[in-house]
Amino acid sequence: MSRNDPPTHWSGHIAPNGTALGTVRICDFTGQLAGAGATKWLAAFGAEVIRIEDPVNQGMWDVLRNMAPFIDDRRGPDYGGGFNNHNVEKRGITLNLRTDRGKEILTEIIAKSDVVSENFAAGVLDKWGFGWDRLREIREDMIYVSNCGFGHEGPYGQYKTWGPIVQAMSGLTFTSGLPDREPAGWGYSYMDHTGGMYMALAILFALIHKQRTGEGQWVDLSCTDAGLSLNGPAILDWTVNGRPSRRADSPNGNRSAYPPMAPHGIYACAGEDEWVSIACRGDEDWALLADQIGEPWAKDEKWKTLEGRIAAQDELDEKVTAWTRTRDKFDVQRGAVREGVPAAAVQKPAERIDQDPGTEEFGLWPEVDHAKMGRVRVDGLPAHFSKTDWKIEQGGPCVGQHTDEVLSSLLGYDADEIARLHEEGIV
Amino acid sequence: MSALQGTRVVELANESIGWAGKLMGDMGADVILVEAPGGEPSRGYAPFAGDEEGGESLYFWHYNTSKRSVVLDLDKPAGKEAFLALIASADVLIESEAPGRLSALGLDYDDLVKAKPDLIHVSVTPFGRETSRKDEPATDLTILAGGGPAWSCGYDDHSIAPIRGGGNQGYQTASHYAVMSALTAIFHHGVTGEGQFIDVSMHAAANVTTEMASYFYLIEQQTVIRQTGRHAMPMMTMPVQVQCKDGRYATTGMPPRSPAGFGALYDWLVESGLEDQLPEAIFLEMARHRESIGFADIGVDDEVTAAFSAARDALQLLAENSTAEGFFEGAQKINITVGAILSPEEAYENVHFKARGYQVEVDHPERDAPVRYPGAPYKLPASPWRISRRAPALGEHDDEVFGPLGVDAAKLAEAR
């Protein structure tokens, strides 16, 4: 893996400028979180990500451009809070792909890009004349990563999804819930986040492959394939033992499926809708928690072994709840953690964002400069690199914010030409 | 050629990062799992093959495909020495040791770079290496509770506790970020020849994986509240899950988006013989003949409001009178985005996943037949995903890994 010579076939700046991915340029059609989340990671590590958007509908391929939350009363495609969150450090240009001239310009950009990324429904890019065969024709070593709910191939290839549908179809909604109740599911698009991660992984694997072999490829990413992969032990229990997850005692709320632990749950605390999670990994954890509880029942022999605690788990949970219910969730957390027992308050957004040294000291909520919104805090990234750390300073691009800059600096167009393209509605 | 062929990854065994090692191993990396004498505890986790208590763990099988196993006691001098020899041969180290443990052993990044100057060292810990919470104990459950996901998940009935999603998703999310980090650093190494240290926090990973919960607070200081089977939002929204005729649930997702879509929904209702049960169906038929229809007119134009309400009722009625999968296919065929809530095994046996080749067989030489596993999460035709071997037996590869490194059997015996 030692490769000290500078590469010759990369599209971006040859000098990496202290960034990990500064040599990479991405022609990006992604939207929402499942796609934009992927290129957010790459942009934060220095890749030049150029979002291609439609001037006619003002970039509203990505509906998050004009969706709540909003920083103030202003509305429109430059004010969506979610869009800004997912598109920091990217550049944005507009290009009317209904026109031949627009297609020519896109062809020029693609020729100078290492990666084309999109998460449209299957076949959309192909309809515009930029399917895999064409992309490969424009650039032989192209990396093309398409990301959709069911992939481009297979009986459901034409079906549409969004996060909750992906979760439903890949076993993830099912595995969150209580016995004899409908599924609780996920209170957010877990598979938009995670689909974006798999898209980032696919792009990175393909970039490494190209770095080593010079070869590009098309990755047909299906979010439901990725989602189903997150249920591994349950699937092997099915294929090896024939035991389905759809059975009387499964799913089972916050109880630990593997390995067995008890108590293991989320318990009510003092106040309205306040909760604490506690996980006793073994008999020692329980003995320490029993000391904290300090009530005679907790010292009962019956609870000393995991077997005993599992056998009467409902009763144990009731007793633990009777103890937590009158206590502040953070007091329970602190007491348990001080003794080395895993416990954590179920934190509300304000608590984990503004009052938690675990996120604040990590620098997890960077503030970006947005051209119209001003200073806005966003999600950072949960990893720090000693030499090429991420940088999140620039907000998501306004519609067409970088059109002129990309046309002139990347494609070498002069001012007159750019003015003409604006007049003709190409950009 | 797999993308990571020729890349050696040393994984200090820990259940929280097993997924990360597998993701790299299945993409061609030579992943060497370093286990303490006695083995990684998850070798003892249920479910077991054939339900034999204390037998082969399916949990361990799943998370450790495409890896080789060696046994080292890092508390012994010979164990340390062998570990350093292994690191000298490696490109990446991934570990989830408690902060302070590796430095106490003289095996932290600053020590390891003496053996391997361009090492990529990925540390994955509950709260990161540096924060003041770094020594707090944690499990998957407490990470999801403290990190935000649990607050958003559960039922409309808030007397019921928040429910964390099952299947170790807190560990898996941290593992995804760990692999994204490793690959980013591997690419950088390919350009500059430089390695580095990477500090991944599971708590931070959960915190930035909560979608609107974080950015509604960051931007509007609003607090989302949990709702059955749908997005936590600052306000309660309408239910979306329906129990189907076969007892399973469907999620009704999005209403139609065009006049033709409303028309198609009406036709489906008629084909199913259900239009008499829904007098409001007439509004679907009326919507078919409009020039356009959109959310923006709800509450403004009575006919539009009635059409969306009728669409909701129609979807509910159709779901109740169909199997979950039948409802899914029927709606998707007319371009309405709904889902069937499948269990993992139902999805695994589903026609679509099968047709995509998602079921893969892995050879287990000790068994009569191969075992079916979950397949590729992504398909890279030029650098394919592949399970190259079943999970290793404890120390199965001691000799073949350490032989070429000049650590002989006698030294190995001292090292474990």
Side-chain angles (χ1 to χ4, degrees), chain A residues 71 73 119 162 316-317 337 352 364 377:
Chain A
I71 199 103
D73 294 337
N119 63 321
W162 61 309
L316 179 60
D317 280 346
V337 161
R352 63 187 172 81
L364 196 60
R377 282 199 295 172

Side-chain angles (χ1 to χ4, degrees), chain A residues 182 189 243 246 354 361, chain B residues 51 132 155 211 217 346 349:
Chain A
E182 66 183 299
S189 286
R243 182 184 293 110
R246 193 184 289 279
D354 278 340
E361 293 167 11
Chain B
D51 283 332
S132 52
Y155 292 99
E211 206 190 356
Y217 179 77
E346 289 161 1
E349 301 295 349

Side-chain angles (χ1 to χ4, degrees), chain A residues 7-17 21-26 46-48 112-114 139 410:
Chain A
T8 54
H9 49 264
W10 297 97
S11 300
H13 338 278
I14 287 303
N17 295 330
L21 304 176
T23 51
V24 176
R25 181 175 298 123
I26 299 177
E48 182 184 353
K112 289 174 181 278
S113 299
D114 304 291
R139 190 166 166 156
L410 180 65

Side-chain angles (χ1 to χ4, degrees), chain B residues 151-416:
Chain B
W151 171 254
S152 296
C153 301
Y155 292 99
D156 290 350
D157 178 353
H158 288 179
S159 70
I160 300 172
I163 308 285
R164 61 122 187 207
N168 279 336
Q169 306 304 335
Y171 288 158
Q172 291 187 161
T173 295
S175 288
H176 294 145
Y177 281 113
V179 179
M180 285 155 70
S181 297
L183 298 183
T184 301
I186 288 170
F187 184 86
H188 175 70
H189 181 281
V191 177
T192 64
E194 188 175 64
Q196 55 187 319
F197 177 80
I198 298 165
D199 178 12
V200 179
S201 158
M202 300 181 199
H203 180 61
N207 262 280
V208 294
T209 313
T210 62
E211 206 190 356
M212 291 187 278
S214 287
Y215 62 77
F216 261 93
Y217 179 77
L218 289 168
I219 295 168
E220 289 187 353
Q221 288 72 54
Q222 293 243 44
T223 300
V224 301
I225 45 179
R226 64 186 181 279
Q227 333 209 357
T228 309
R230 57 199 194 278
H231 278 66
M233 295 287 285
M235 314 284 282
M236 292 303 282
T237 59
M238 301 283 271
V240 293
Q241 289 182 174
V242 183
Q243 190 164 27
C244 300
K245 207 169 65 181
D246 58 357
R248 297 187 291 164
Y249 285 84
T251 179
T252 52
M254 298 281 198
R257 295 168 197 186
S258 65
F262 282 86
L265 181 57
Y266 179 78
D267 295 342
W268 185 20
L269 208 57
V270 172
E271 279 161 33
S272 310
L274 294 168
E275 82 275 23
D276 292 345
Q277 294 183 40
L278 186 69
E280 296 79 8
I282 185 69
F283 292 109
L284 302 176
E285 183 59 11
M286 286 164 72
R288 183 206 301 264
H289 300 295
R290 294 176 64 91
E291 272 200 7
S292 67
I293 188 162
F295 292 127
D297 290 325
I298 295 179
V300 178
D301 179 330
D302 287 347
E303 203 179 291
V304 171
T305 311
F308 275 104
S309 164
R312 228 186 100 73
D313 294 345
L315 285 169
Q316 168 143 3
L317 189 62
L318 284 157
E320 285 165 356
N321 284 279
S322 164
T323 63
E325 271 164 316
F327 172 67
F328 163 73
E329 294 202 11
Q332 287 280 1
K333 276 181 187 147
I334 57 170
N335 214 11
I336 296 178
T337 306
V338 309
I341 299 178
L342 305 179
S343 66
E345 69 277 2
E346 289 161 1
Y348 188 73
E349 301 295 349
N350 173 280
V351 54
H352 175 76
F353 293 93
K354 274 189 174 168
R356 284 181 63 83
Y358 187 76
Q359 296 194 357
V360 297
E361 290 194 335
V362 176
D363 203 29
H364 280 246
E366 303 78 6
R367 294 171 66 90
D368 299 337
V371 174
R372 286 188 300 152
Y373 276 70
Y378 24 53
K379 294 181 167 185
L380 285 80
S383 40
W385 176 97
R386 187 173 77 91
I387 293 179
S388 59
R389 67 171 77 230
R390 54 130 176 82
L394 180 62
E396 185 177 347
H397 306 96
D398 280 352
D399 297 337
E400 70 175 58
V401 169
F402 283 108
L405 301 178
V407 182
D408 60 24
K411 274 193 198 155
L412 264 189
E414 276 176 53
R416 51 190 294 182

